Amino acid sequence: MRAAEQLLASSADGQISTREICSGAQVTAPTLYHHFKDKHALLDAVVLEGFNTYLDGKRAIAWSGDVLEDFRTGWDVHVSFGCEHPAHYRLMFGNPQADQTAPAALVARDELARTVAEWGAKGQLMVSVDAATETMSAAAVGVTLQLIAAQADSTHPISTNVRDTIAHALFHPLNPGDTFADGVTRPARQLLDALPRGPLERLRPTEVALLREWLASLADSSI
């Protein structure tokens, strides 16, 4: 595994041979096949081990709790990993066939799905959890593979432009400096304050009373 990891790190496209691996490890091919079904199984194990190390570092990040900031941070970390480990990343995401999905890619997908589900449970998404997860994954992988092909780094405008476009499409809009709660309570409070105290056209008195009650509840204030 160490020999394969070193070869992979120095490879631009992840194309390394069994002969190279055995030579680097100073073993014969039967030794490799004693431990792994084939070369692809060995590379899957190497990539998964490296990606789990990356995930450990990501889980140690002090997240802000602000959905947009944390989304951008997570996106940037993902793209940076791909640009810094292009051969690993291609093995993870370079083959779109479902039956050939690398184990590390499955781990990444599960991690993303859990995070997006938490955002969805808090009402921070404008679309379903599944739609948001698939959109984020497709966009991040596509951008990262494009940057790898262009030999660009994660600070390229392609990444930041797509990232911010995705954020605008998936998350409820907030004003700068707002928490997510401000995105609901502030407009409710403003609308409540703007309502005249008397009757409203097109609404019956019972509907007006109910509207005021709902707005007051959302604004966490009294009528």
Side-chain angles (χ1 to χ4, degrees):
M1 286 183 67
R2 296 287 77 77
E5 183 178 23
Q6 291 172 4
L7 288 167
L8 195 60
S10 61
S11 170
D13 57 8
Q15 299 300 315
I16 58 179
S17 67
T18 300
R19 180 183 58 79
E20 290 174 312
I21 296 171
C22 291
S23 176
Q26 298 182 347
V27 300
T28 60
T31 301
L32 186 154
Y33 296 125
H34 173 74
H35 294 284
F36 298 95
K37 177 183 178 181
D38 53 28
K39 182 187 73 173
H40 298 294
L42 169 61
L43 293 179
D44 280 346
V46 170
V47 172
L48 181 58
E49 182 183 58
F51 191 68
N52 281 335
T53 300
Y54 150 80
L55 285 178
D56 288 340
K58 186 176 179 180
R59 291 164 183 156
I61 294 174
W63 300 101
S64 70
D66 180 280
V67 59
L68 294 180
E69 181 178 342
D70 289 346
F71 166 72
R72 293 187 184 105
T73 298
W75 174 286
D76 292 344
V77 170
H78 177 98
V79 176
S80 294
F81 171 79
C83 291
E84 293 167 7
H85 304 87
H88 286 70
Y89 197 87
R90 279 200 180 99
L91 288 174
M92 289 174 61
F93 297 108
N95 192 333
Q97 298 182 33
D99 61 344
Q100 297 185 31
T101 302
L106 296 177
V107 174
R109 187 176 64 188
D110 289 344
E111 286 281 320
L112 175 62
R114 279 195 292 270
T115 299
V116 177
E118 291 175 2
W119 290 337
K122 296 176 182 177
Q124 296 168 329
L125 300 173
M126 293 194 295
V127 299
S128 70
V129 170
D130 287 345
T133 302
E134 292 173 5
T135 301
M136 291 177 195
S137 179
V141 171
V143 163
T144 306
L145 290 174
Q146 176 69 21
L147 294 179
I148 290 173
Q151 297 184 337
D153 63 32
S154 59
T155 62
H156 194 283
I158 288 177
S159 179
T160 54
N161 289 343
V162 174
R163 179 199 67 192
D164 293 344
T165 299
I166 294 297
H168 178 76
L170 299 183
F171 297 108
H172 289 289
L174 303 181
N175 294 321
D178 283 352
T179 63
F180 174 73
D182 290 324
V184 175
T185 61
R186 179 174 296 176
R189 187 176 299 112
Q190 291 173 336
L191 181 54
L192 181 63
D193 291 341
L195 288 177
R197 290 298 174 183
L200 294 178
E201 292 183 6
R202 302 183 183 179
L203 292 179
R204 294 189 293 271
T206 54
E207 292 172 332
V208 173
L210 186 58
L211 174 61
R212 291 186 187 280
E213 182 179 339
W214 284 346
L215 289 174
S217 179
L218 289 172
D220 194 24
S221 62
S222 59
I223 297 178

